Amino acid sequence: MSYETFAHSIDGHTRLLGVIGDPIHHSLSPAMHNLAYAELGLNYRYLPFHVRPQDLADAVHGLRAIGAIGFNATIPHKEKLLPLMDEVDPMAQMIGAVNTVRIGADGRMQGYNTDVYGFKTALRDSFFLPLESLSIVVLGAGGAARGVLMGLLQLGAKHIFLVNRTFSRAEGLAEQCTLLFPDAVITPLEWNPETLPLAQCELLINTTSLGLKDGDALPLDLSCMPAQGFVYDIIYSPVVTPLMAAASLQGLSTENGLGMLIHQGARAFEIWTGVKMPVTKVKAKLLSILS
Ligand code: ATR
């Protein structure tokens, strides 16, 4: 892009969007949304904002005060955003986590959860077995886990083990989900590598932030997973996460969170702009950025 084009690409009509998180440097959302604006010629810009937990309310009110039209939230803000909203969409309310906020012209903030849609669409793109009869292990019990769990249950999953470092969080989430889906058996478990039920686990999903940082290793032994086991990590950067690398060594199929990122982002994009994200083109460009 020439200097002139660059200088004129932002003007008094440019609309601001962004993503808040801690950490945030790993996020591909800015690239994804800005690629889509460029593709469609929309005068919007999407920025990453490093917001620490203690600054969440200030950041949210600040974004509203400067006229941002919306934002995404990632680790660790998804649950804490709920009480800051003026309205919460039923799906986000049910999940207890907001990842997408629309700020109206009147400053009212509407919270949505597009993670469930993103996860379901991405899982269905890469994993074809019916979920009803499978034994599934979900690692983590934070905001992202809520979306994943709800997606699995909506897709018909009936047997889920929910494993978390803080056991009480797993217990609480399992209890809430069981109330919503009484037919499903959701068992909370302590994070103890020796007692995890991996021998019968056909689908293992990591929703924790372990793997985001260089040097993170998942304290899990995947060698007892069945040969047809599938390992899904909702992390997408690195493209091959430590969990995926360990799974591949065992000959297991794997998928990262890029598909989920794109599909949740596409839904958020539509909420903000009213038009569809050009998903295929954006995905191809993101893959070239990542590789
Ligand atoms: P998000 O809203 O994106 O899910 P979160 O609510 O902070 O973010 O949840 C992060 C998840 O990663 C939690 O399940 C957390 O476990 P705790 O509930 O015990 O905090 C998990 N997590 C983060 N760091 C971890 C670590 N070092 N080992 C194991 N689990 C970890």
Side-chain angles (χ1 to χ4, degrees), residues 21-28 74-76 206-218 233-243:
D22 178 24
I24 199 61
H25 62 272
H26 65 283
S27 177
L28 260 194
T74 185
I75 282 180
N206 177 41
T207 75
T208 75
S209 45
L210 267 178
L212 265 183
K213 282 190 253 126
D214 277 348
D216 272 356
L218 278 168
D233 198 332
I234 70 162
I235 293 173
Y236 54 81
S237 175
V239 181
V240 179
T241 68
L243 177 67

Side-chain angles (χ1 to χ4, degrees), residues 74-79 140-145 164-166 169 191 207-210:
T74 185
I75 282 180
H77 301 311
K78 294 179 185 182
E79 290 165 82
N164 198 43
R165 178 180 61 178
T166 310
R169 255 181 131 184
W191 191 316
T207 75
T208 75
S209 45
L210 267 178

Side-chain angles (χ1 to χ4, degrees), residues 216-231:
D216 272 356
L218 278 168
L220 283 181
D221 176 10
L222 302 180
S223 61
C224 56
M225 265 182 80
Q228 74 279 14
F230 188 90
V231 174

Side-chain angles (χ1 to χ4, degrees), residues 13-126:
H13 299 284
T14 305
R15 313 305 308 268
L16 175 67
L17 289 142
V19 56
I20 60 171
D22 178 24
I24 199 61
H25 62 272
H26 65 283
S27 177
L28 260 194
S29 289
M32 171 172 62
H33 285 277
N34 290 316
L35 278 169
Y37 306 147
E39 187 65 39
L40 299 179
L42 295 175
N43 193 3
Y44 293 70
R45 290 298 183 280
Y46 186 109
L47 295 177
F49 297 108
H50 184 195
V51 175
R52 294 185 175 84
Q54 64 272 26
D55 297 322
L56 179 64
D58 283 348
V60 166
H61 294 138
L63 282 165
R64 175 168 60 188
I66 60 172
I69 61 166
F71 58 93
N72 283 131
T74 185
I75 282 180
H77 301 311
K78 294 179 185 182
E79 290 165 82
K80 301 271 163 30
L81 263 183
L82 233 78
L84 299 174
M85 297 293 105
D86 296 301
E87 264 171 65
V88 177
D89 161 84
M91 174 66 88
Q93 193 81 62
M94 184 161 104
I95 294 158
V98 163
N99 79 317
T100 300
V101 177
R102 187 161 86 104
I103 308 177
D106 56 0
R108 281 182 72 74
M109 287 195 281
Q110 287 173 297
Y112 299 86
N113 190 301
T114 67
D115 281 338
V116 177
Y117 167 82
F119 172 70
K120 286 199 302 189
T121 312
L123 189 70
R124 280 288 157 251
D125 280 352
S126 56

